[in-house]
Amino acid sequence: MRRRLLRAAVIAGALVFAPAALAAGGFTPGSDGLGDPMFPLAGNGGYDVTNYSLTLDYAPSSNRLAGTAVITARATQSLSRFDLDFRMQNSVTRLLVNGSPASFSFAKDQELVVTPSTGLPDGKTFTVTVDYAGRPLVVTDPDMSIEGWVPTDDGAFVVNEPQGSPAWYPVNDNPRDKATFDFRVTVPDGLTVMANGVLVSQTRADGKATWVWRESDPMAPYLATATLGKFDLTTSTTAGIPTYVAVDPQLAKGQVLSKLPDAVEFYSSIYGPYPFNAVGAIVDSAKGVGYSLETQTKPNFPAVPDEATLVHELSHMWFGDSLTLKTWPDIWLHEGFATWSEWIWSEHEGNKSAQQFFDRYYSTSAKDTAFWGPAVANFTDPALLFNGTVYVRGGLTLQALREKIGDFAFLSLLRTWATQNRYGTVTTPQFIALAEQVSGQDLTRFFDVWLYQAEKPAPGSW
């Protein structure tokens, strides 16, 4: 990527220390990325975020967003400077570190480079306050899908996988750095704001409405949402958990959303307790988005979902949201598991069994690249992040494993995988090691042909 460095916007009176001077005292810059094979600049080194407090004011008529982000983090090295991921360049009006003005500049399209007035010692907690105002962005991914802050007829559909979060708030945009979130979002009265976690308060004054949400469980930044617009909001409880279902009144609600409590109960019975303190769904009329997303606690749907899509996104609460990939090439650990979850839900409902789904897809030609394309654990092209092989071959891998090690070991494996790694990040080798431990089998050959080889596994090869 061509490097682009804008003129530093320095707050008046800020004390600017040259990085070299700070380095002489043992302080060094944090890295400008975490080296993910698909998105090497996503995330930043030198610190770990513990909380984002986002105060936002959005005017849909002008698509203008004013925000204050207060980021609480712990230094993991002695920092002379550090980066945040933020794509709203030229929108920052003030930046403080520990309450003092700091200098900042933009680089490499998404890097907000921050130089505090004094170094930040290793192990110490610090706060960053960023005031900004401007138009949030719609990001186009390598596969040509869109994400970020996507305007709708009456608000915005806010989804971020894999790189949309910096389109609307400054962030350490890497799934390895989970944090808690607080949202305080003000919109014109009559609009509803849906964010992650539990609704704390809702107030109205001077023609505006302010919605306050809190996500107190760790969350990867790309799973944050602040979708807003005209919604019919229904609140209830599911197994004692607050449940929020918001549906755009332009859409016919239908009966599919009534399946949500049953799906949560079923997945809890096989994967372990539901991992969060709220659940729900956001159903918006988001023309042009073309996909649903498992935003934590409340999946976003751009239209009324069918039953398979609803349960797919709900299963991500276990596999994708609570348990999250460490690097993006391991996306099958999300989508393969959610695809198999669709199949096991169908089986549970007395419809087509998971094995019948397997037989159907396995019968396709080895030349069909929709199913037998690149190996699902061995690719780095971001344009293929949501390739069909990730979903279907990922699901086939799990069903083949179920048949190989038996139902008892397989379901024990999935439950252990979900509960041991709750709120953590994982890799494919970790899953393989656990599968061998739980089953007591050497599964080297099995996973080689299913995950690491591009060819369709031949009958009897695993």
Side-chain angles (χ1 to χ4, degrees):
M1 183 180 295
R2 181 172 62 86
R3 189 175 189 274
R4 182 158 64 103
L5 181 64
L6 303 182
R7 179 177 60 85
V10 182
I11 299 297
L15 298 176
V16 182
F17 285 75
L22 291 173
F27 292 90
T28 55
S31 65
D32 62 1
L34 291 177
D36 186 275
M38 289 193 178
F39 305 100
L41 286 179
N44 305 280
Y47 63 94
D48 177 69
V49 177
T50 56
N51 177 261
Y52 294 92
S53 180
L54 304 177
T55 300
L56 308 174
D57 192 319
Y58 182 63
S61 60
S62 60
N63 189 29
R64 182 172 176 81
L65 178 69
T68 295
V70 179
I71 302 167
T72 304
R74 181 181 60 84
T76 57
Q77 70 181 68
S78 292
L79 287 168
S80 60
R81 72 167 188 260
F82 59 92
D83 287 15
L84 293 166
D85 298 301
F86 195 40
R87 297 178 183 271
M88 291 178 64
Q89 298 197 5
N90 294 324
S91 69
V92 177
T93 57
R94 185 181 70 147
L95 197 152
L96 309 175
V97 176
N98 290 333
S100 297
S103 65
F104 60 91
S105 62
F106 283 99
K108 300 182 181 178
D109 292 333
Q110 71 179 64
E111 299 297 316
L112 173 55
V113 184
V114 181
T115 305
S117 59
T118 59
L120 303 173
D122 184 12
K124 295 296 184 180
T125 296
F126 64 95
T127 60
V128 186
T129 302
V130 184
D131 292 338
Y132 57 99
R135 290 192 173 191
L137 303 183
V138 176
V139 177
T140 300
D141 283 328
D143 67 355
M144 304 310 295
S145 62
I146 60 173
E147 62 188 62
W149 193 279
V150 181
T152 61
D153 292 341
D154 54 18
F157 190 76
V158 184
V159 289
N160 310 302
E161 188 179 26
Q163 54 177 350
S165 291
W168 58 282
Y169 71 99
V171 57
N172 193 29
D173 190 29
N174 190 284
R176 287 159 48 184
D177 194 0
K178 295 187 176 186
T180 58
F181 280 72
D182 293 281
F183 303 87
R184 183 180 184 88
V185 187
T186 300
V187 293
D189 197 5
L191 300 187
T192 297
V193 179
M194 299 296 294
N196 311 88
V198 172
L199 181 61
V200 176
S201 67
Q202 173 196 353
T203 57
R204 291 183 170 86
D206 301 322
K208 292 190 172 184
T210 299
W211 296 73
V212 179
W213 295 85
R214 172 156 177 75
E215 176 51 281
S216 57
D217 293 315
M219 180 166 70
Y222 79 89
L223 294 169
T225 191
T227 291
L228 59 99
K230 293 180 180 178
F231 288 105
D232 293 328
L233 175 60
T234 302
T235 60
S236 60
T237 59
T238 299
I241 300 168
T243 305
Y244 309 89
V245 176
V247 181
D248 189 322
Q250 299 180 70
L251 303 173
K253 185 175 179 179
Q255 297 298 314
V256 66
L257 293 172
S258 65
K259 293 283 189 177
L260 187 151
D262 291 341
V264 170
E265 181 180 357
F266 172 64
Y267 291 136
S268 297
S269 72
I270 60 174
Y271 299 149
Y274 180 76
F276 304 118
N277 59 3
V279 70
I282 305 166
V283 183
D284 200 359
S285 178
K287 305 174 184 68
V289 174
Y291 62 87
S292 302
L293 185 67
E294 62 273 16
T295 43
Q296 189 159 303
T297 70
K298 301 174 192 69
N300 270 264
F301 303 94
V304 176
D306 60 19
E307 189 171 318
T309 303
L310 175 68
V311 300
H312 178 107
E313 301 304 335
L314 287 172
S315 73
H316 273 308
M317 299 304 107
W318 287 263
F319 303 114
D321 293 14
S322 174
L323 173 157
T324 308
L325 53 74
K326 188 169 290 185
T327 61
W328 286 106
D330 271 337
I331 189 69
W332 87 276
L333 292 172
H334 295 188
E335 302 302 347
F337 280 66
T339 299
W340 187 84
S341 295
E342 292 179 44
W343 301 349
I344 198 63
W345 169 260
S346 173
E347 183 174 314
H348 166 73
E349 290 286 277
N351 299 315
K352 187 183 295 185
S353 70
Q355 186 60 39
Q356 286 174 313
F357 278 101
F358 179 95
D359 293 340
R360 169 192 166 193
Y361 287 116
Y362 188 73
S363 68
T364 58
S365 168
K367 296 180 180 180
D368 190 337
T369 56
F371 306 128
W372 311 112
V376 297
N378 196 27
F379 68 100
T380 58
D381 183 353
L384 299 177
L385 186 60
F386 302 108
N387 186 283
T389 59
V390 169
Y391 293 74
V392 175
R393 185 164 177 160
L396 292 171
T397 299
L398 292 176
Q399 181 60 24
L401 181 62
R402 177 188 181 187
E403 291 299 303
K404 184 172 183 66
I405 67 176
D407 272 10
F408 180 81
F410 179 74
L411 293 174
S412 295
L413 167 63
L414 295 192
R415 190 180 185 94
T416 302
W417 180 240
T419 55
Q420 278 189 357
N421 296 293
R422 177 177 279 214
Y423 310 136
T425 55
V426 294
T427 66
T428 294
Q430 283 178 272
F431 179 72
I432 293 172
L434 184 63
E436 292 187 327
Q437 176 186 329
V438 171
S439 68
Q441 297 183 34
D442 181 350
L443 298 171
T444 304
R445 176 63 180 168
F446 175 90
F447 284 111
D448 182 58
V449 299
W450 275 105
L451 296 181
Y452 292 102
Q453 303 300 323
E455 296 79 12
K456 176 182 177 179
S461 65
W462 68 91

